[in-house]
Amino acid sequence: MEGNQTKKRKLVGVVVSDKMKKTVVVKIDRMKMHPKYLKYYRVSRKFKAHDEKGEYHVGDKVLIEECRPLSKQKRWIVMAKI
């Protein structure tokens, strides 16, 4: 059964909110090329990630990993501070 596991996605981002209990909001930025003008522009997304101990705060650069659904919107776990 070990060969049946899938590789989990990992992303690096910045914590933008820590107001919820056991949850932080992490903003992920990436560069995308415009199809016509061929210039790069910044695209960002926000993910809710599980933070069991409440040890990550606004401004921290963190590594998040995909996991099973923990709530309606929470599908990521904070792994480490970078």
Side-chain angles (χ1 to χ4, degrees):
M1 293 283 299
E2 194 172 13
N4 199 13
Q5 292 180 349
T6 59
K7 191 171 183 179
K8 296 180 180 180
R9 291 189 295 165
K10 294 182 181 179
L11 299 172
V12 176
V14 178
V15 176
V16 292
S17 175
D18 61 351
K19 294 181 179 180
M20 294 173 273
K21 291 181 182 176
K22 299 185 180 184
T23 304
V24 292
V25 179
V26 180
K27 182 177 166 186
I28 308 293
D29 287 328
R30 69 183 185 97
M31 299 300 285
K32 188 175 178 181
M33 184 184 279
H34 191 281
K36 180 178 179 182
Y37 300 115
L38 305 179
K39 289 203 169 193
Y40 285 96
Y41 62 98
R42 188 179 318 258
V43 177
S44 62
R45 269 190 83 182
K46 291 180 183 176
F47 296 98
K48 289 186 175 68
H50 187 66
D51 174 20
E52 182 69 34
K53 299 176 186 170
E55 57 189 304
Y56 304 104
H57 302 288
V58 175
D60 291 348
K61 193 171 183 181
V62 295
L63 174 71
I64 60 174
E65 183 181 65
E66 195 174 30
C67 68
R68 64 180 177 82
L70 298 172
S71 69
K72 182 180 176 182
Q73 297 177 337
K74 203 164 39 166
R75 273 104 174 102
W76 297 83
I77 295 177
V78 180
M79 298 304 290
K81 185 174 178 180
I82 298 175

